[in-house]
Amino acid sequence: MSTQNDRAIYFRSLHRPGNPIVLSNIYDGATASYIAAHASTKAIATASYAIAASQGVADESLTLSQNLASVRTIASVVAATSPQLPLTVDAQDGYEDVAQTVREIIALGAVGCNIEDFDNRAGTLRSLPDAVARIRTAVQAAKDAGVPDFVINARTDILGPAGTGVIADAIQRGQAFLEAGACTVFVWGGPGGRGVSGAEVRELVAALGGRVNVKLNLAEGSLTVAELKQIGVARISLGPELWRAAMGAFRETADRLLAGVSYD
């Protein structure tokens, strides 16, 4: 994998329905160092929610410059640890100028990104034509930057808090995103919202040829990696789950230690 596009081609090849790539999303230099050195890691992916939280801001308030600052550190660590690993970036909604966003993350070494159809500035779901146009723009920007096999994971929030859609609407958007050049589709069910059921994941897999990304939920009763593999998805991500686990341990340890502190 001598070139950036070689890494993109390799990363794209890891998206196999029924034998999915599992991404342990990271958010800073320390987590990048550990995951990049892990024997099971085949690619590095960031999580914007966790990146935002580590900078003390809400996910929807994370600016492009803040996101890129973390990605720059992560990319540097990956390059020093396992330079052959593909890096994909959670680019949220692509920000104001999606082409410029793609060019900037490619300049940092990325070979893929997530782009969602929710407009963070307006607080609304983008129309389907607008969302599709932005995927096409991102694809063309990557080609112009010398990475024609750049891997776009297109997220739709049609089932999220701002969306009022049903699974058929998610399928319609997913098909349009794939036709526009996305590699996979991620249907998001919202934080603590309706979610996406196992039956709906099966519908998505059938309608989208398996080119589906599912966020793994570590809560009891959620679909497991083995179950998602059997259903036939092509990509599984952890999102902010590792950040939540780390913060849970941090709070527990801090509370235990500080409970015994007295300044009298």
Side-chain angles (χ1 to χ4, degrees):
M1 292 183 288
S2 59
T3 71
Q4 194 166 350
N5 197 59
D6 288 335
R7 292 195 298 279
I9 292 170
Y10 170 65
F11 185 44
R12 186 176 287 269
S13 76
L14 296 174
H15 294 70
R16 298 190 291 270
N19 187 20
I21 174 69
V22 179
L23 297 168
S24 305
N25 303 72
I26 49 83
Y27 48 92
D28 61 12
T31 53
S33 179
Y34 182 81
I35 295 300
H38 199 285
S40 297
T41 299
K42 294 185 177 179
I44 299 292
T46 70
S48 70
Y49 183 100
I51 284 177
S54 68
Q55 296 191 36
V57 300
D59 188 23
E60 63 273 14
S61 298
L62 183 71
T63 66
L64 176 59
S65 61
Q66 288 173 320
N67 200 349
L68 290 175
S70 290
V71 172
R72 187 172 292 107
T73 298
I74 289 165
S76 177
V77 170
V78 173
T81 308
S82 299
Q84 79 284 358
L85 289 175
L87 169 64
T88 184
V89 171
D90 186 346
Q92 299 191 305
D93 63 355
Y95 300 95
E96 186 173 0
D97 185 340
V98 68
Q100 181 61 23
T101 297
V102 168
R103 286 192 291 268
E104 293 206 46
I105 62 176
I106 285 177
L108 293 178
V111 300
C113 75
N114 283 22
I115 297 178
E116 59 199 50
D117 60 4
F118 185 78
D119 185 339
N120 278 320
R121 294 184 68 186
T124 58
L125 192 72
R126 295 183 186 277
S127 69
L128 181 54
D130 184 23
V132 169
R134 288 170 68 82
I135 296 296
R136 288 203 175 101
T137 296
V139 169
Q140 187 59 52
K143 289 179 180 177
D144 293 343
V147 189
D149 292 285
F150 190 77
V151 178
I152 295 177
N153 184 40
R155 177 179 126 174
T156 178
D157 286 28
I158 191 72
L159 302 184
T164 58
V166 294
I167 196 66
D169 299 313
I171 288 171
Q172 179 190 28
R173 287 196 169 227
Q175 290 172 335
F177 295 158
L178 293 176
E179 289 173 6
C183 176
T184 46
V185 174
F186 172 29
V187 178
W188 189 64
R194 72 180 297 286
V196 180
S197 70
E200 288 174 330
V201 173
R202 288 180 172 86
E203 284 189 66
L204 290 166
V205 166
L208 303 178
R211 297 167 68 183
V212 175
N213 173 206
V214 173
K215 177 196 165 294
L216 192 69
N217 191 331
L218 299 183
E220 187 175 349
S222 299
L223 291 170
T224 65
V225 170
E227 288 169 333
L228 289 168
K229 183 175 181 179
Q230 189 277 327
I231 289 171
V233 306
R235 173 168 167 155
I236 299 170
S237 53
L238 282 173
E241 294 292 330
L242 288 176
W243 173 83
R244 289 193 175 108
M247 289 305 299
F250 178 90
R251 284 191 294 267
E252 180 183 347
T253 303
D255 287 346
R256 186 172 66 251
L257 291 173
L258 293 174
V261 173
S262 173
Y263 295 99
D264 296 337

